[in-house]
Amino acid sequence: LDCVLGQSRRLTSSSSSKGLRACWPGRMIGLVLVCLAQTASSPQYPLFAIANKGSGWTDIDIKTVATGFSLADGIPDNETLLQRLRSANSEFRSVRYSNPRGFQLKGAAQSGVTMTLAEFESSYRKNATFYTAGFVADGMSASGTELSLAHPLSPVGGENRTQNHCALRDWLLVASDLRSKNISTLISNNDVSFVTYIQVDDEIMKIVAISGAKSRGPGDPPFDVDPPQPATIRVIRGFAGTVAAPHSTGARVLSPVSLDTGVTNSNTRLQWAVTMSGALGADLLVNYTLADVAAGYTGSWYDNFGGSLFNAKTTTGCGLRTHEMFDTETKQHWSRPRYFAAQQRRFAAARTRIMATLGRKSPVPAVGNGFAEVQYPSGSCDVDGPCTTLGDLQAGFKAGFVDGWILEGFYGNEEFPTSTNTCGSNGKIVLHDQDKWQMNVQSVAWAIQAGIPVYPIIFQAGCKSPTLEYQSDSVRGVLEEGAYASFLLAVEPLSQGIESARVPFAFGINAMWRTDSEPTVPYARLHPQYTYPLGSPTDSYPPDQFGRYQITSAPNGVYGRVFTNGLVLYNSANATTSPITLPQGPWIDPVTNASLHSYSLGGRMGKIFLRHW
């Protein structure tokens, strides 16, 4: 009753149009059905909420999110709201987003959590992630101010195009903006005075000027075929508290990895990436999680937490693969397997410290975003580089990696009209093609069967996610039905592998909807399909036998799975099918209550039937 009255008040206040009053009886019937679905039972399988609502949470919003979802991201930093959610459900879990990749110039650092870029550049430059920018071409004395730099693909260093594809036609360094002495500075909202540097052995040098570093065009031979003459780098020695020292011919010249874009005067979000092999990376996790718990959250969401460094770039703006970056601790190139292992060590060290600081015996829940790298059956791979195998990933989770690994874009992605406008509500939803769809479902099935807590999110979870909320109710309903049917093709009975710190798997969706008549007011709603009493799947196949879910009476691309009280269908093809004979029919359509032996399924659409309803 509370639900129906609250929803009716919202509709009444949102519009007094004659049309709305005219259809009021039908509206009320619809509200009753929605509220019954929300309150009659809990979701059949765990759900992960993307809760994009900054303020104005109603009692209905709180009850819907707290009782309908196992955990949630996006809850505003509001201790009273978090307490109300926990009061509605003592088992409710909330996580707060963080991005512990590095340190950013623009935006105030969170006090006691992360440092400013100025602090990093003052004291921690050696804690960056690096790539090879070249080699010393002619030995350098302790007093010299010019370094003769051999190109990274020259015979002096012996790198190859697999280890450094960015260097095929380019040099990989940028000279400092001389308006800054030692620290990168935000001059204005669109102007940065930046400081770039190199590390040779244990010495850091500020780059003052570069000469003789000319790029080659597409018609010219690449540098590994026709090596260039050395470039000259004018430097300030013994920079950032290091000691000037002699360097031998062939010594590796390293440059710090920039995040998201290259180093330019307009890059006001200049970021340096932190290394996985040092203590500073674990410090970030510790500080973020302690701050999250202090603010009232159950735990943390760590973005970009897998076997690679998301959007790693040279200072010139070229994208770096994992095996093209260099680990100064082990003196070798990173690889996906080694990087993932370093993430595990980083997380384990941080978790131990967090539990000790809080005096807890049970761990603080933490989820990580990075499962999108896992592509069944290969694992986590780079172009031209070694893969982290599925066995490596499974072993990492058995050793105690994060409590949930997030796969954004499970069912598709939001695409935006321009590269400069990539957030908000005006994106276009594009579903994956059949191959990508099948790979994602197989990847999730593999993870669940391997005991890896995987959380596939229907589309994106960040600033693009409002695009789904602004779809019409009918369009969004079709999208959620298709995505949930796809997820159900991968689930296993919930009695398997449940641990105290982990929800074994969960389907991620936006918790907020917007009415077609008033799209500016978000409200929490749970699609009725999530409470359908499906029961457990009666058949389960390993991912390499995914084809056994195909419906034999249907065209290729139509998959089905029988549950103890339900049937799930999904048509991965574009065309609508002719009537399909439903296996083990008849089944009840929970929308129309009709008993059916056959059904015609639209392209890229899913459908759930029940035995008893």
Side-chain angles (χ1 to χ4, degrees), residues 339-400:
Y339 199 88
F340 182 67
Q343 286 276 38
Q344 295 172 56
R345 292 192 297 271
R346 175 194 189 194
F347 179 74
R351 170 156 278 181
T352 299
R353 289 170 51 192
I354 292 165
M355 292 171 65
T357 301
L358 296 175
R360 292 178 52 159
K361 293 183 179 180
S362 60
V364 174
V367 300
N369 186 16
F371 188 84
E373 301 170 359
V374 180
Q375 300 182 353
Y376 182 87
S378 303
S380 177
C381 301
D382 265 337
V383 177
D384 294 332
C387 296
T388 305
T389 67
L390 298 181
D392 295 333
L393 298 171
Q394 186 176 8
F397 274 88
K398 284 187 175 180

Side-chain angles (χ1 to χ4, degrees), residues 181-232:
K181 292 184 178 180
N182 298 325
I183 303 297
S184 300
T185 306
L186 187 64
I187 304 297
S188 67
N189 286 334
N190 57 8
D191 186 16
V192 173
S193 178
F194 54 82
V195 175
T196 55
Y197 66 99
I198 55 176
Q199 180 170 328
V200 185
D201 299 324
D202 288 327
E203 182 186 355
I204 291 178
M205 309 176 194
K206 177 182 176 181
I207 304 175
V208 176
I210 303 172
S211 60
K214 184 180 179 181
S215 300
R216 290 184 179 172
D220 299 323
F223 284 138
D224 61 340
V225 173
D226 181 18
Q229 293 297 311
T232 299

Side-chain angles (χ1 to χ4, degrees), residues 99-426:
N99 193 342
R101 292 183 300 161
F103 304 94
Q104 182 173 300
L105 176 62
K106 190 173 184 179
Q110 192 175 343
S111 178
V113 179
T114 185
M115 63 182 70
T116 64
L117 190 74
E119 291 174 295
F120 178 78
E121 290 188 343
S122 296
S123 305
Y124 296 96
R125 289 186 189 270
K126 283 190 175 182
N127 292 89
T129 295
F130 289 95
Y131 66 91
T132 300
F135 298 87
V136 176
D138 191 8
M140 189 178 193
S141 70
S143 59
T145 58
E146 290 189 345
L147 184 150
S148 180
L149 180 72
H151 189 271
L153 300 184
S154 71
V156 173
E159 294 257 299
N160 58 54
R161 62 172 61 195
T162 297
Q163 296 169 313
N164 204 329
H165 84 283
C166 290
L168 275 175
R169 300 181 182 280
D170 203 1
W171 294 80
L172 305 179
L173 290 176
V174 174
S176 300
D177 183 321
L178 297 183
R179 291 177 294 172
S180 285
K181 292 184 178 180
N182 298 325
I183 303 297
S184 300
T185 306
L186 187 64
I187 304 297
S188 67
N189 286 334
N190 57 8
D191 186 16
V192 173
S193 178
F194 54 82
V195 175
T196 55
Y197 66 99
I198 55 176
Q199 180 170 328
V200 185
D201 299 324
D202 288 327
E203 182 186 355
I204 291 178
M205 309 176 194
K206 177 182 176 181
I207 304 175
V208 176
I210 303 172
S211 60
K214 184 180 179 181
S215 300
R216 290 184 179 172
D220 299 323
F223 284 138
D224 61 340
V225 173
D226 181 18
Q229 293 297 311
T232 299
I233 313 297
R234 187 153 57 89
V235 295
I236 293 176
R237 304 294 301 275
F239 192 60
T242 60
V243 177
H247 302 288
S248 302
T249 299
R252 190 178 296 268
V253 177
L254 299 171
S255 177
V257 171
S258 173
L259 292 174
D260 298 333
T261 188
V263 180
T264 66
N265 291 118
S266 61
N267 179 15
T268 58
R269 293 193 176 274
L270 173 65
Q271 295 184 74
W272 300 122
V274 66
T275 181
M276 291 298 100
S277 60
L280 193 60
D283 290 346
L284 270 177
L285 302 185
V286 172
N287 294 341
Y288 273 123
T289 295
L290 291 178
D292 295 341
V293 173
Y297 295 91
T298 314
S300 303
W301 167 322
Y302 304 138
D303 201 1
N304 305 303
F305 212 68
S308 67
L309 182 59
F310 180 69
N311 266 357
K313 299 291 179 71
T314 64
T315 54
T316 55
C318 179
L320 289 162
R321 302 161 185 162
T322 306
H323 61 277
E324 294 176 321
M325 297 183 291
F326 194 80
D327 181 7
T328 55
E329 185 172 284
T330 62
K331 309 298 184 186
Q332 59 182 317
H333 285 273
W334 285 105
S335 66
R336 285 261 179 157
R338 292 183 52 251
Y339 199 88
F340 182 67
Q343 286 276 38
Q344 295 172 56
R345 292 192 297 271
R346 175 194 189 194
F347 179 74
R351 170 156 278 181
T352 299
R353 289 170 51 192
I354 292 165
M355 292 171 65
T357 301
L358 296 175
R360 292 178 52 159
K361 293 183 179 180
S362 60
V364 174
V367 300
N369 186 16
F371 188 84
E373 301 170 359
V374 180
Q375 300 182 353
Y376 182 87
S378 303
S380 177
C381 301
D382 265 337
V383 177
D384 294 332
C387 296
T388 305
T389 67
L390 298 181
D392 295 333
L393 298 171
Q394 186 176 8
F397 274 88
K398 284 187 175 180
F401 200 38
V402 289
D403 305 305
W405 212 11
I406 293 165
L407 167 59
E408 289 190 81
F410 169 66
Y411 193 54
N413 288 301
E414 297 95 341
E415 295 184 357
F416 285 75
T418 66
S419 60
T420 57
N421 180 18
T422 58
C423 285
S425 60
N426 65 331

Side-chain angles (χ1 to χ4, degrees), residues 371 376 407 410-411 432 434-449 456 482-483 485-491 543 546 549 559 561 570:
F371 188 84
Y376 182 87
L407 167 59
F410 169 66
Y411 193 54
H432 294 313
Q434 284 180 293
D435 291 340
K436 177 68 172 178
W437 170 84
Q438 180 173 323
M439 185 189 72
N440 278 354
V441 176
Q442 286 177 295
S443 298
V444 171
W446 164 79
I448 293 174
Q449 292 177 21
S486 304
F487 172 70
L488 292 172
L489 292 173
V491 302
F546 183 75
Y549 289 123
Y559 297 84
R561 196 177 190 191
Y570 184 75

